[in-house]
Amino acid sequence: SFSFAFLMAIPAILGSMVLSLAKLDTASISIQPSVLLIIFFSSFISSLLALTILQQILKNKNLARFAFYTASIAGISLALFF
């Protein structure tokens, strides 16, 4: 069911991306396209890693580890933001 739910989300994610790109004002962006590609691929790889970890945790039925992982990522994000 995890794989099916993930596959069902792909069209919604791609549709959202297309609509967001259509609204994007490219004249106001000062980031080079190569940097945007690096950001995209690093985000893609980290998302795949997180989903792989989540899938393994769900197979083992141990959500306490996932809660620790989520809290750790949230803490790191907040520490870097503030």
Side-chain angles (χ1 to χ4, degrees):
S1 67
F2 177 83
S3 299
F4 180 72
F6 180 69
L7 288 175
M8 291 297 294
I10 290 175
I13 293 168
L14 290 176
S16 172
M17 185 177 73
V18 168
L19 291 175
S20 295
L21 287 175
K23 294 178 185 177
L24 188 63
D25 181 21
T26 56
S28 67
I29 297 177
S30 62
I31 299 176
Q32 296 178 353
S34 60
V35 174
L36 288 175
L37 283 175
I38 291 170
I39 292 169
F40 171 77
F41 283 114
S42 62
S43 173
F44 180 74
I45 291 169
S46 63
S47 298
L48 284 179
L49 177 65
L51 287 172
T52 303
I53 292 169
L54 175 61
Q55 187 175 21
Q56 290 300 320
I57 290 171
L58 289 175
K59 282 183 182 177
N60 296 335
K61 297 182 181 175
N62 187 1
L63 291 178
R65 290 176 54 200
F66 181 66
F68 176 74
Y69 163 77
T70 306
S72 300
I73 296 298
I76 291 169
S77 298
L78 287 173
L80 291 174
F81 183 71
F82 295 108

